[in-house]
Amino acid sequence: MDASILLIGGDDFLSTLLDRVHNLLNCAVEVASNPGEAVPLIQAQQPDLIILEENQLGSLKLCCEIKEQAKLAWIYCILIETPAQVLDEPWLDYIWDLESKTIALEGGADAYLRLPLERTDGKPLSPEILAKQDQLLRSQILVGLRTVKNHRELMRTNDILSAIALSDPLTELNNRRALDWELPRQIQNARTRSEVLSLVMLDVDYFKRINDLYGHPVGDRALQLVSSRLRHNLRFRDTLFRYGGEEFVIILSNTDQKEALLVARRLCRLIGEQPFDIDSGLELNITISAGTATLDAKDDARGSSLLKRADRNLLRAKSSGRNRVVGSIDALQDMDSE
């Protein structure tokens, strides 16, 4: 079975449970002598299931702490009590079991088992009773592993759905929804680290003419090829998004105004200098226009004002002849000359 289990307890508990678990299931089993020793193992290895000795100090607290951490809360915690004997009166033993189970479950454990080691008279438990205990232990472990498996499958499904929701199906780039999520995060990082941040907003020139002359399938193919050329000519730290239609946005981390202009002009040249081979009988010469903007202290945390400045500069580039870049520096110079 492809699963991992961590046993936490004293020497007697570990020696007893380790053999029993190995005999019941073919799993990878790690051990820790106390909750403090277990914490770094849990953080690093994230086992599927944890079995803790109930009467060890800190066991229930560890269960609670695991459940309070989103990245660990899926780990299944079984608290096991191994009293030396059952109580003299069966009804007292039953009440004790109910009270202990209630405390364990309310305290953060997913399951509680009480597995006495011997009879009231001090004699060993019969093989039949031990076999029933092992059946119960195995069943509880399997319940935990099924729960963890279902959680992981759900997380994988959510990851796939999130990837689909944040991806543009035509170009396979991040889409506008992804930009709405990523830009505020990068703005916060830039301000926390006192770094610069810039945007490039670009647009395929006369794209409507391509659709009108050759049809939408050719337009779609042109967008795919433009996207690919842009993606393969960006720096490692740059993030490209399809903003909508024939518009794209690039987040340039740790990039100031002058560097943003250089990046955008280089991309402009790379798009315009070589025709795009749409199919064996059609080549298109395509150019782009771009506007850049750099984060300043007055920009809002979501990046709306930063995007607006980049868009405004893109419109200036298009109105001044297309196939060119206008940045914040250029826009300021234009305003001064006016």
Side-chain angles (χ1 to χ4, degrees):
M1 180 178 294
D2 184 17
S4 59
I5 297 175
L6 176 62
L7 296 181
I8 307 170
D11 292 341
D12 292 340
F13 178 84
L14 292 178
S15 62
T16 301
L17 266 293
L18 190 59
D19 289 339
R20 295 177 85 165
V21 171
H22 272 311
N23 290 333
L24 295 173
L25 296 161
N26 182 24
C27 293
V29 182
E30 295 277 345
V31 298
S33 59
N34 57 69
E37 181 183 309
V39 169
L41 287 173
I42 294 169
Q43 296 285 353
Q45 300 178 11
Q46 298 190 4
D48 299 302
L49 187 142
I50 297 174
I51 299 176
L52 307 97
E53 183 178 8
E54 184 271 344
N55 63 357
Q56 191 175 51
L57 184 65
S59 289
L60 191 55
K61 182 182 178 183
L62 179 60
C63 292
C64 182
E65 289 174 351
I66 288 171
K67 297 305 173 183
E68 288 176 347
Q69 299 182 52
K71 67 177 183 178
L72 300 176
W74 53 269
I75 296 175
Y76 199 85
C77 300
I78 302 176
L79 207 62
I80 293 184
E81 182 183 3
T82 55
Q85 297 177 351
V86 294
L87 298 178
D88 291 334
E89 296 292 338
W91 66 274
L92 288 174
D93 196 68
Y94 178 67
I95 291 175
W96 179 265
D97 183 67
L98 289 179
E99 289 179 347
S100 298
K101 184 177 293 185
T102 300
I103 293 170
L105 296 178
E106 289 182 349
D110 295 295
Y112 167 85
L113 297 180
R114 193 158 179 263
L115 306 176
L117 298 178
E118 56 185 42
R119 301 187 329 183
T120 306
D121 57 12
K123 293 181 180 181
L125 296 174
S126 67
E128 291 80 13
I129 295 297
L130 288 173
K132 291 294 183 183
Q133 284 189 357
D134 285 344
Q135 276 187 321
L136 177 61
L137 178 60
R138 185 177 188 276
S139 298
Q140 190 62 72
I141 291 174
L142 289 176
V143 167
L145 295 179
R146 280 201 303 269
T147 302
V148 170
K149 180 182 177 183
N150 290 338
H151 175 85
R152 285 185 165 172
E153 288 178 351
L154 179 61
M155 291 300 293
R156 277 195 292 269
T157 301
N158 287 341
D159 288 343
I160 292 170
L161 292 175
S162 296
I164 292 172
L166 299 175
S167 177
D168 173 55
L170 177 66
T171 62
E172 298 181 353
L173 297 178
N174 296 312
N175 61 16
R176 185 168 182 170
R177 183 178 295 177
L179 176 67
D180 292 339
W181 178 85
E182 178 67 11
L183 183 55
R185 191 185 72 84
Q186 292 219 27
I187 288 175
Q188 181 180 2
N189 287 343
R191 285 174 168 163
T192 301
R193 298 170 184 172
S194 299
E195 294 179 350
V196 287
L197 179 79
S198 295
L199 287 186
V200 177
M201 181 174 283
L202 58 89
D203 185 284
V204 177
D205 294 331
Y206 303 110
F207 182 71
K208 184 176 183 300
R209 186 182 299 173
I210 295 174
N211 281 334
D212 291 344
L213 288 175
Y214 304 104
H216 287 279
V218 170
D220 288 347
R221 182 58 181 156
L223 285 177
Q224 289 174 332
L225 294 174
V226 169
S227 301
S228 179
R229 192 176 293 183
L230 288 171
R231 183 170 58 234
H232 288 99
N233 285 283
L234 289 174
R235 301 168 303 177
F236 178 76
R237 64 177 184 263
D238 301 334
T239 313
L240 176 64
F241 302 83
R242 185 184 179 193
Y243 193 62
E246 67 272 23
E247 282 191 327
F248 300 85
V249 170
I250 307 167
I251 300 177
L252 306 175
S253 61
N254 203 17
T255 303
D256 62 22
Q257 296 183 71
K258 292 182 179 180
E259 291 174 322
L261 279 171
L262 291 174
V263 171
R265 287 168 180 163
R266 180 174 61 85
L267 293 174
C268 233
R269 288 196 307 273
L270 288 168
I271 294 298
E273 68 186 7
Q274 184 178 349
F276 288 86
D277 187 9
I278 302 298
D279 57 40
S280 57
L282 178 62
E283 280 191 347
L284 291 180
N285 290 302
I286 295 174
T287 61
I288 59 172
S289 300
T292 70
T294 300
L295 183 68
D296 63 38
K298 296 179 182 178
D299 285 319
D300 62 280
R302 295 197 57 80
S304 300
S305 55
L306 180 62
L307 274 168
K308 285 180 181 177
R309 285 205 310 282
D311 187 41
R312 207 159 46 234
N313 289 336
L314 169 61
L315 291 175
R316 286 175 176 269
K318 293 170 70 173
S319 63
S320 59
R322 290 183 169 84
N323 190 23
R324 65 193 61 208
V325 178
V326 172
S328 299
I329 299 172
D330 300 323
L332 287 172
Q333 291 173 345
D334 289 346
M335 291 174 66
D336 291 339
S337 62
E338 291 171 359

